[in-house]
Amino acid sequence: MANQANYNATRGADGGAPLEKDFSNTDFLDGNLDKDNALQRIRTAGSISISPELFEKIYLSPQNVVKGDLRKTFGNPTPLALVGFLLSLTPLSCDLMGWRGAGGNGAADTGVYFFFGGLLMVLGSIGEFIVGNTFPFVVFGSFGAFWLSYGATLQPFYNAWGAYSTTSNPKDGLTNAGFEASFGFFLLWMGVLCFIYMILALRTNAVFVLIFFTLVFAFGFLAGAYWQMANGAPASGLPTKLIVAAGAFAFVTCLAGWWILMAIMLAALDFPFQLPVGDLSHIIKGASDKRKEKEDKGQYEA
């Protein structure tokens, strides 16, 4: 019932799709109010709440209640973090598949990993923390750290692979079995983390689930590629096939991510059309929702 009230409160004046912030309903205003007070009343009533479906779409998290009006005060940080993620992973996925002769594990985009993947995702994570969205806060923060870590690994300054070199040339550490096996474990546990996120995303939408589903395979194939190289397999054999497969899954991840980004921005700008993301928040209900339904049912029977 509360969710339905929120939904009705945020439908446009013409009864259309729910808006992120609806300022069209001014019928409650007293004609004797001065301009400043009238504007304040519009802002207060126009930002009451948003529907659970719209909240889930623009914040990638089930609707929750937080203290204060921070969501009405600050912009939505979710698309900023998505931009950082997509402009890092999309070119990397193309590199992994070797399109147009690309390669080198995406080393040409090291700066992108720092300033798009790392910086923008960490800023987005902080923004989600401020407005009280725990799940995207953790997801964006962990992936921001991943991109910073990956960029640092590619930098000679951090000596990640140079420490494994048995010669005077630090680059020889890149082909050292110890480095390859060790880096494979990092990729493996990133895949495990994405699997956990995939389960949790079942409370959000189908496109977000698809993102983590494909990332599980992408990280798994990359880990397998590095372990095959550590075992001495020729780089042009099975490891290359695994890397290309990882790039293909990562590219599907990116397609889903671009779709969500477009859906969020269309909703934020109140476009006359919207993109569906497959809302799942009403299918897998939270514990609090079930408890509320049980209490309401008990009161009704009483």
Side-chain angles (χ1 to χ4, degrees), residues 234-246:
S236 59
L238 181 58
T240 297
K241 294 179 180 179
L242 291 172
I243 290 173
V244 171

Side-chain angles (χ1 to χ4, degrees), residues 70 76 196:
L70 292 176
N76 180 10
I196 294 173

Side-chain angles (χ1 to χ4, degrees), residues 21 40 43-44 47-49 59 66-75 130-131:
K21 294 183 180 179
Q40 181 60 35
R43 287 172 175 168
T44 302
S47 300
I48 295 173
S49 61
Y59 286 112
V66 295
K67 185 177 181 180
D69 297 328
L70 292 176
R71 289 172 182 157
K72 306 173 188 176
T73 305
F74 297 102
I130 292 173
V131 300

